[in-house]
Amino acid sequence: EPGEWLEYTVNVATGGMYNVTLRYASGSSTGGGPFWFEREDGTKISSDITVPFTDTNWSAYNNRVVNGVSLQAGAQVI
């Protein structure tokens, strides 16, 4: 839903560009998104991400690889 968010704490050994694999389900016939990764300070660190429809019951999951997520070294909240 618009306005929803999730927060993850990660500890990155070496800063740089990473590929992140998402596991998702979407019961919407139009798919889901856009959403993105951002730092705790609101800096966007990925492009917009969309995912296609998976199942009307939200019970079928797929993986989506997001390329080029910019992560800094050290512990951080994204």
Side-chain angles (χ1 to χ4, degrees), residues 1-28:
E1 295 293 322
E4 287 187 307
W5 54 271
L6 299 170
E7 183 176 280
Y8 295 93
T9 301
V10 297
N11 192 358
V12 179
T14 304
M17 302 299 274
Y18 286 85
N19 298 332
V20 178
T21 302
L22 305 172
R23 184 114 173 111
Y24 73 93
S26 175
S28 171

Side-chain angles (χ1 to χ4, degrees), residues 37-54:
F37 293 108
E38 66 183 37
R39 291 189 184 104
E40 190 172 24
D41 68 2
T43 302
K44 196 172 175 179
I45 59 173
S46 75
S47 58
D48 285 351
I49 305 160
T50 58
V51 294
F53 168 80
T54 58

